[in-house]
Structures are given as structure tokens and as C-alpha cells.
């Protein structure tokens, strides 16, 4: 039986939807980069901007200045300015940095947003949502993809 391209695409899409997000322990890094989407879905630029400026989520602006998010208060100066970051790194590199920056930048103070084990002091009050079960990552797979999508819009002009 020969399958049409459309049928084959539908089967592959359904399989991806069933598979769900990549678990933090299953993320494949290559020189600090993560080539495959963690959620299997495209990122949402507007939600990525919200995550970056939300104190309850990524709170990226606590350490980084981002001109595109200038309406959000209290940008930090610990990390580099993120203007033009979409020209400096590709999606895979940004996904890797967000997932676990320590694999790219030894000694960085940037949190690993998609990691749940191997911490020196995990502090369950600060990491994840489960008090008695396995820890959740700081950001979900889709939230990582949303932030990557937003960061890719930050291009030098």
C-alpha cells in the first residue's frame, strides 16, 4: 500500500502529538546545543516575552537587559544584553543555553531552566512544584520553546 504525502504527514504529526515533550533527563545536547524541539511544537513569541519578564516564570530580565521588553521594570546587568541575541546564536544553541547553560558556559550563574537532577542543593521550595514527588523543571518544554521563539526575534538592525 502506497501512502500519500498528506497521509504520511498526518501519521507523523499524530505520532509527535502522542509522544509529548522530551523529558529533562532525555534532552540530547551536542556541544551545548539542543537541535530538537523539546515540546514538538513551535514557540509562541508573545508568550516567550511574558515568560522572560514574569517574576513567577523565567524572570530573565532580572539578570539581562532587553530593549524590546523596556516596559517591564528592573532589568539586570548580571548577564549580557540580549539585544541581537537572535543573530549571535541559532535556535539549537539558545535552546541548549536555556535548558542548561552550564554545558555551554562553565561557571555561569544562569539557572538550568530544564533540568531536574544533579543539583548541589536542589531546594525543593525553589525548584519545581512537587514537594514529595519528582521535581519539575523551572520552565516547561513549551515555555522553553516560547522563550527561544522570542529570543530569535531579537536581531541587530
Amino acid at each position: 500500500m502506497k501512502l500519500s504525502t498528506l497521509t504520511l504527514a498526518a501519521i507523523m504529526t499524530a505520532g509527535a502529538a502522542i509522544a509529548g515533550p522530551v523529558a529533562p533527563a532525555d534532552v540530547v545536547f551536542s556541544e551545548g546545543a539542543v537541535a530538537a524541539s523539546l515540546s514538538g511544537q513551535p514557540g509562541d513569541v508573545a508568550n516567550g516575552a511574558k515568560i522572560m519578564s514574569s517574576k513567577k516564570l523565567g524572570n530573565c530580565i532580572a539578570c539581562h537587559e532587553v530593549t524590546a521588553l523596556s516596559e517591564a521594570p528592573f532589568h539586570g546587568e548580571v548577564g549580557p544584553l540580549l539585544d541581537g541575541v537572535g543573530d549571535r546564536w541559532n535556535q539549537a544553541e539558545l535552546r541548549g543555553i536555556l535548558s542548561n547553560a552550564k554545558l555551554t558556559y562553565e561557571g555561569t550563574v544562569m539557572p538550568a531552566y530544564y533540568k531536574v537532577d544533579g543539583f548541589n542543593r536542589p531546594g525543593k521550595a525553589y525548584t519545581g512544584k512537587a514537594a514529595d514527588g519528582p521535581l519539575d523543571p523551572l520552565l516547561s518544554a513549551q515555555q522553553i520553546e516560547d522563550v527561544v521563539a522570542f529570543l530569535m526575534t531579537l536581531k541587530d538592525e
Side-chain angles (χ1 to χ4, degrees), residues 20 49 72 93 95 121 139:
E93 292 165 331
R95 189 177 295 113
R121 291 181 225 158
L139 294 177

Side-chain angles (χ1 to χ4, degrees), residues 1 3 14 25 42-43 51 54 68 72 80 82 101 103 106 112 120 132 136-137 151:
M1 174 204 292
L3 297 176
I51 292 164
S54 170
L82 294 183
L103 296 177
E106 187 176 323
N120 290 332
D132 297 323
D136 292 333
L151 292 172

Side-chain angles (χ1 to χ4, degrees), residues 30-137:
S30 176
E31 297 181 17
V34 177
S37 167
L38 298 176
S39 69
Q41 302 296 318
D44 179 285
V45 173
N47 196 48
K50 288 178 190 174
I51 292 164
M52 288 191 60
S53 54
S54 170
K55 290 182 181 178
K56 293 183 179 187
L57 294 172
N59 199 21
C60 305
I61 63 168
C63 295
H64 298 278
E65 183 178 354
V66 183
T67 302
L69 299 175
S70 61
E71 74 284 350
F74 310 117
H75 291 244
E77 297 177 355
V78 174
L81 173 71
L82 294 183
D83 294 2
V85 73
D87 286 327
R88 293 191 296 274
W89 291 284
N90 63 39
Q91 287 184 353
E93 292 165 331
L94 289 171
R95 189 177 295 113
I97 292 167
L98 287 167
S99 297
N100 188 352
K102 288 161 183 58
L103 296 177
T104 302
Y105 300 107
E106 187 176 323
T108 185
V109 296
M110 183 170 165
Y113 285 99
Y114 203 65
K115 179 178 174 180
V116 294
D117 59 10
F119 299 106
N120 290 332
R121 291 181 225 158
K124 287 188 179 186
Y126 300 101
T127 305
K129 300 168 192 70
D132 297 323
L135 295 175
D136 292 333

Side-chain angles (χ1 to χ4, degrees), residues 12-24 27 34-44 47 95 99 114 139-149:
M12 292 173 62
T13 302
I18 293 169
V22 175
V27 175
V34 177
S37 167
L38 298 176
S39 69
Q41 302 296 318
D44 179 285
N47 196 48
R95 189 177 295 113
S99 297
Y114 203 65
L139 294 177
S140 71
Q142 187 59 51
Q143 289 170 326
I144 295 285
E145 296 305 320
D146 294 348
V147 172
V148 169

